[in-house]
Every structure is written in C-alpha cells, then in structure tokens.
Amino acid sequence: MSITRYKLTIQLQTASPLHSGGIDEFVDPTRSKEERKSVPRRFVRDGHERPIITGRSVKGAVWAACRRYVKNHSDAGLTLDDLDFLQGLAEDNRAGALTFHSIDLSKVAERERQPKKDQSTKDPLITRTGIAVDRYWGTAGDTALFQHEYVPTGKQLALAITAQVGTLGGEGDPSASTGNAPSESTHKEKDPEVAVERLFALIVALFAQERIAFGGRRSAGWGRVRLKETKSSASGQPATDEPWTLVKTSLASKNDLLAWLAPSDKQHSQLEPANIAASGLVRITITWDSPTGILVAETPSEDDDSEKQKQKQSETQKESDETVPAKPLRSGPGEKDPLVLPGSSVRGALRSRASRIARTVLAAKRPEKMKSWQDRDVHEQLADDPILVLDLFGSTKHRGALTVLDTVASSDGTGRKVTHNAGDRWTGGVAEGALYSEMVYDNAKWNDIVLELDADALPGSDDRRKAAWCLLGLVIAELCTGTLPLGSRGTRGMGQVSVSAVRVETGNSIIPGWNLAAKANDSESLARGILAELRKIDIAASPDADEGWEGWSSYLAKKTDKEISHA
C-alpha cells in the first residue's frame, strides 16, 4: 500500500469575538488594592512573537465537535471507532492521521497606529474589559476585573489540516509505518482514505453550521467561526468558488513527492460537505429597544502614554469645566464600528436575576438552610448558586448550557455628551474633582438579543431539564416587564428595556416553541403570555425533594440536612 497525503485548507471568518489564551499572568494578591492592575489574558505567541491559535487548540475544538456529532448521529458515515482510528490512541503508542496547523493572527488582529516619530508601529492586540457583579451589593466584585485580547467579528482566518495514511512497505508492520496512521490491516473494516475524506466532509459541514468554536468564553458567544462567504454563495446562486480546497496526492514515487511540494490545480479533489442534521439548539430571539439608552463603557487602553493622558486630562479639568467623556463599547477598535452590548453583560444580568428568583423560592421554603452572601466574594457566590442556575449558567467546574451572543446596534443614532458631578455629603455643594461625563446614544437601534440553549447539555432527567427551562422563562418574563436593566448606570435610570416580541425556535422535543408579541400599550402582556406558556409544561416533582415541593421548584432543593449549596 502506498502513502496518500491530504491537505484541506478552509477559509473562515469570525462570527463573534475570538480569544484563545496562553499562559495566564496572575496579579500578586499580596499587594495592596491600589497597586494591583488588571493583566490582559493574551493569545499564545509563536517564536516570532506573532499571536496564534495553536494547532492543539484547533484540534481539540474540531475533534470535540466531530465526536459529539458522530456519537449522536449516523448520517456522516463514521463511527467512534473510525474517529479513534484517525485520531490515534495513546495506549496504542501511535499518532493520529491528522495534523492541525496553527492559525496565524498577526495579519487580522493587529491595528495600525498613527505614525509616531516618523516610524509606523503597531499597538498590541485590542482588548475587552469585563467585570463580575457582586450579587449581594450590586457593585463590581473585588478581584473580578478581567481583560481579554480578542479578534473582532468579521476577520478572515485560514485553517490548514493535513492527513497521511498508508505505508511504503511491510503492510501491518508498525516499524514500516509512516508514523501517522496505522496501515489498513489494522483497520480492515474501512478504507482509511474513505474515513479521512468522510471526516473532512463532516468538518466542513460542521463549520457551515457554526458548530465548531475556537478558544474560550464560549458561553458569552465568543469563538464562533463560519465559512467565508464567496461572491456566488452570497448572491444566492450556486457557489463555484468554495471556501475550501482539498489537495490529494499519492506519494508512490519521487515525482509524486515533487508534485506535493509544488501543488497544482490538477491535484485538487472534489469535496462535498456531509449532509448532516440540524444542531438541535433552542434559539431564543428577543426583539427589544431601550427608551433610556444602553451604556457599557469602554475601558481606556493602558499604553505608554496613559499616565500622560490622565495627567493632561486632570490639568485641563482644573482650568475649565471640560471633561473627556467615557465612550460606549464598540464591536471593534474603530470609531465607526457599531455599538455593542456584550453577551457577557447580558448573561451576567440574566444569571443574577435567575439566582435571585431561585434563592427567593428556597428562602420561602427553607429559610433556616440558606446561607447569607453578605460576607462572601463574588466567586463564592457564583459557586453557591442553586442547582438549576448552575445547570444553565455553569460554574468553574463545568460549562453551562446557555450561551448569550453579543448584541450589536443596527444604528448608533446621535450621541450626546452628558456631564455629571458628585455632591459633597458634608457641605451639600459640588464635590471638588468629581466632575465627569459620558457619551450617551439614547436613540440607538438594536438588533435582537439572541440566546442559545443546548438542552441536551442540561444534566439530569427530562423533568429537571424542563425545570431549568421554566427558570429561564421566568427570567425572560421579568426582562419583558422592564424590571431588569441591562448594561451599567441602572441606578441612574439607564439600561431600561422594552421588549416587543419573544420567539423560541426549538430543535428539542422537551422545549416548546413560542412566537409571542406584546399587545399595544401593554408592556406586561408579553410577560403574562410567557407565564401562560410555562404553566402548560408538565413537570413531575423531583424524587430527591422533601415533602411539600412540587413542579419545577422541586429541583432547586435536595433531600439533605446540609445547607443548600450546589449539585
């Protein structure tokens, strides 16, 4: 049997922000709070200090998606044994047939800086800052400030995957193997070339459905990639220039090897994506607007000139009443990039309200078992969330089933500078040095808020999954009433939400579909409609609950004498 080598090149583009971290740099917690600084979580760098997504990270994401699909479906023509054969097993002391190459980000992630001192330099990768909110006090949690380098939405990536199967001689003899895949005799059920080509077809199909995500922060909607759109596919006509190419070469001679090193169009092979089932995710689409405006402030970058800028701003403010306003966060580094409401911000608000609802029910039933969060930091609060909240939103030990995507403004509207000051609590006058301002876009138009629930990832029985859906439904109902603000400055009247429609597209049998719209001049009609839909769901009481518990709330508590914590 001869050696056959493949190279699959897929042109992708980011469908959301993307971050894939390297070795985290931790701030010394022994230093005083004034001396601590937020250290951005950076991309991995190669030997030339270029940011990359490592081949190992790409491999993990692709293999996880493929294994999950093959485990639940048989229409790809592959089995888990086939994947084990191609992936390679440590116990067999052999490498896999496929090699995943690193993705270079240096050309897509860096932004040009204005020439300085007659030299053109580049800024570090752009970063986004986030915080975790203390559930008890409602303020930013201590030690809960974080930054991530990221690649913005719409950037192009090139993924290369190579594969090699077969041996030069001594078929079945491990010493004669090429070092990638074992010979065909060790996998007689299927031709290894067929397995590789079917796997490539499955990988392309999974990318086409956006079912492979890279890097971290996936629960906040990050890391999504899709196939790059071609001119023919974008216009609705059959695509002739597909965003992938497959080169296949048999290395049976010296000329074959030379042809591999200098490939031509003659070596290109046809590759049709596998016809696979839909993802089965539950997609919740919320049509909304904000009558007061949304503000998630952008954090100024801490470059070499940051201290000089702060000093200059302070001197300017002393001389006049002018201030440098806080700017809203945008989806990219450009001033014309659209405003964005981060998925992490919306997800945090939803989790906080879900936690409040669940703990209110528990406190009413078992007040003596509830722990106070007054003296707990935000990390302990998250770990102590009730069971259904952890099912939906996850913990440090496992990922939750709910993903919230970034919400981008369809139109920024007109921004205006709003100036504030703080009053001196002793004199009643204006506090010195407490003048500040913000750029507010209170007439911006926003795209829909999109949530995705992987119901199959919810643990436990179908009734427990329905209970988690009921809890999420209650949170969405409160959002519809306008009592759950989004973004910052909620205590100053900003962040109000007016929901006009909620649609639930479901691919899961236990989650019903919805298509609800608010009635005119009745903002609470939509919430009542959601509650009516939730009451239709039949949920048997949890067998682990104490007497007196019924319906969805029975899955919040367990039969135990210990204080209620998490599963």
Side-chain angles (χ1 to χ4, degrees), residues 264-344:
S264 63
D265 292 341
K266 295 180 180 180
Q267 296 171 275
H268 288 187
S269 297
Q270 289 292 111
L271 178 64
E272 292 294 330
N275 186 15
I276 62 176
S279 65
L281 292 175
V282 178
R283 187 178 180 90
I284 304 109
T285 305
I286 302 172
T287 303
W288 69 294
D289 199 356
S290 176
T292 61
I294 298 288
L295 179 62
V296 178
E298 178 185 33
T299 302
S301 59
E302 295 189 4
D303 55 21
D304 296 337
D305 299 328
S306 60
E307 292 300 325
K308 295 180 181 179
Q309 291 174 357
K310 293 178 182 178
Q311 183 178 357
K312 182 178 179 181
Q313 177 177 343
S314 178
E315 293 174 353
T316 302
Q317 185 169 333
K318 289 179 181 179
E319 297 173 359
S320 66
D321 292 335
E322 288 297 319
T323 60
V324 178
K327 296 181 179 180
L329 187 66
R330 295 185 177 273
S331 60
E335 291 290 337
K336 295 184 179 180
D337 288 324
L339 301 175
V340 63
L341 177 60
S344 57

Side-chain angles (χ1 to χ4, degrees), residues 7 77 79 117 125 128 137 163 172 193 216 220 245 250 317 361 371 384 430 451 464 485 490 503 520 524:
K7 182 177 183 180
T79 66
K117 295 181 180 180
L125 299 178
R128 182 180 291 185
W137 299 106
E193 293 185 12
T245 57
S250 176
Q317 185 169 333
V361 173
K371 299 177 182 178
D384 195 50
V430 177
L451 288 63
R464 179 170 166 179
R503 297 179 299 280
E524 296 184 0

Side-chain angles (χ1 to χ4, degrees), residues 6 31 105 124 146 257 304 488 563:
Y6 296 86
R31 290 186 293 175
L105 302 176
F146 50 88
L257 180 58
D304 296 337
S488 62
E563 291 183 325

Side-chain angles (χ1 to χ4, degrees), residues 29-48:
T30 62
R31 290 186 293 175
S32 64
K33 295 180 181 180
E34 292 74 14
E35 295 178 341
R36 297 181 193 175
K37 291 185 178 180
S38 173
V39 179
R41 296 181 179 178
R42 308 174 69 215
F43 279 97
V44 177
R45 262 64 174 180
D46 64 10
H48 298 281

Side-chain angles (χ1 to χ4, degrees), residues 133-196:
V133 176
D134 188 294
R135 268 52 177 173
Y136 186 86
W137 299 106
T139 57
D142 188 25
T143 71
L145 178 69
F146 50 88
Q147 291 179 286
H148 295 87
E149 289 182 334
Y150 74 97
V151 176
T153 304
K155 296 296 184 178
Q156 297 182 13
L157 310 175
L159 170 62
I161 307 173
T162 55
Q164 185 168 299
V165 293
T167 59
L168 286 174
E171 186 172 332
D173 180 3
S175 63
S177 174
T178 62
N180 281 38
S183 64
E184 186 178 1
S185 63
T186 62
H187 190 72
K188 297 179 180 179
E189 303 84 9
K190 191 183 297 294
D191 183 345
E193 293 185 12
V194 173
V196 168

Side-chain angles (χ1 to χ4, degrees), residues 209-534:
Q209 291 192 8
E210 295 185 31
R211 293 169 71 167
I212 300 177
F214 295 147
R217 297 181 57 76
R218 299 185 190 179
S219 295
W222 284 33
R224 295 185 169 225
V225 291
R226 61 166 65 104
L227 295 178
K228 176 186 173 183
E229 292 185 359
T230 59
K231 293 182 179 179
S232 51
S233 62
S235 62
Q237 300 297 323
T240 56
D241 182 19
E242 301 290 4
W244 64 84
T245 57
L246 177 63
V247 176
K248 177 181 178 182
T249 303
S250 176
L251 303 182
S253 66
K254 173 184 175 182
N255 290 335
D256 291 337
L257 180 58
L258 292 175
W260 170 263
L261 297 175
S264 63
D265 292 341
K266 295 180 180 180
Q267 296 171 275
H268 288 187
S269 297
Q270 289 292 111
L271 178 64
E272 292 294 330
N275 186 15
I276 62 176
S279 65
L281 292 175
V282 178
R283 187 178 180 90
I284 304 109
T285 305
I286 302 172
T287 303
W288 69 294
D289 199 356
S290 176
T292 61
I294 298 288
L295 179 62
V296 178
E298 178 185 33
T299 302
S301 59
E302 295 189 4
D303 55 21
D304 296 337
D305 299 328
S306 60
E307 292 300 325
K308 295 180 181 179
Q309 291 174 357
K310 293 178 182 178
Q311 183 178 357
K312 182 178 179 181
Q313 177 177 343
S314 178
E315 293 174 353
T316 302
Q317 185 169 333
K318 289 179 181 179
E319 297 173 359
S320 66
D321 292 335
E322 288 297 319
T323 60
V324 178
K327 296 181 179 180
L329 187 66
R330 295 185 177 273
S331 60
E335 291 290 337
K336 295 184 179 180
D337 288 324
L339 301 175
V340 63
L341 177 60
S344 57
S345 179
V346 178
R347 192 172 184 273
L350 298 180
R351 177 169 187 157
S352 180
R353 188 53 56 94
S355 180
R356 177 183 294 185
I357 293 172
R359 285 175 60 84
T360 300
V361 173
L362 290 171
K365 289 276 190 176
R366 303 174 66 173
E368 74 284 356
K369 301 294 184 181
M370 292 300 297
K371 299 177 182 178
S372 173
W373 280 358
Q374 181 174 357
D375 298 324
R376 293 186 163 212
D377 65 32
V378 63
H379 307 288
E380 293 174 320
Q381 294 170 5
L382 294 175
D384 195 50
D385 265 331
I387 298 169
L388 295 182
V389 179
L390 295 176
D391 289 349
L392 288 169
F393 297 95
S395 67
T396 56
K397 296 181 179 180
H398 67 86
R399 181 185 170 196
L402 184 69
T403 298
V404 184
L405 308 186
D406 279 1
T407 304
V408 179
S410 58
S411 172
D412 290 356
T414 304
R416 59 189 179 91
K417 180 180 177 180
V418 180
T419 303
H420 307 271
N421 58 43
D424 189 298
R425 269 50 178 176
W426 174 254
T427 66
V430 177
E432 184 178 356
L435 186 69
Y436 61 98
S437 60
E438 302 159 339
M439 284 298 298
V440 177
Y441 292 80
D442 45 16
N443 58 349
K445 301 299 181 183
W446 293 90
N447 292 317
D448 295 341
I449 295 174
V450 177
L451 288 63
E452 290 183 350
L453 178 67
D454 187 353
D456 292 333
L458 289 169
S461 63
D462 284 351
D463 285 315
R464 179 170 166 179
R465 296 175 183 178
K466 293 177 184 177
W469 171 247
C470 283
L471 176 58
L472 180 59
L474 291 174
V475 176
I476 296 174
E478 291 213 13
L479 182 68
C480 294
T481 63
T483 61
L484 179 57
L486 300 178
S488 62
R489 281 65 166 177
T491 57
R492 299 212 308 266
M494 295 195 68
Q496 297 301 307
V497 174
S498 176
V499 179
S500 57
V502 176
R503 297 179 299 280
V504 177
E505 303 169 78
T506 178
N508 191 285
S509 59
I510 67 172
I511 305 296
W514 298 347
N515 191 4
L516 305 175
K519 297 180 180 179
N521 301 321
D522 187 358
S523 60
E524 296 184 0
S525 62
L526 192 53
R528 290 195 294 269
I530 292 175
L531 295 180
E533 292 291 336
L534 295 177

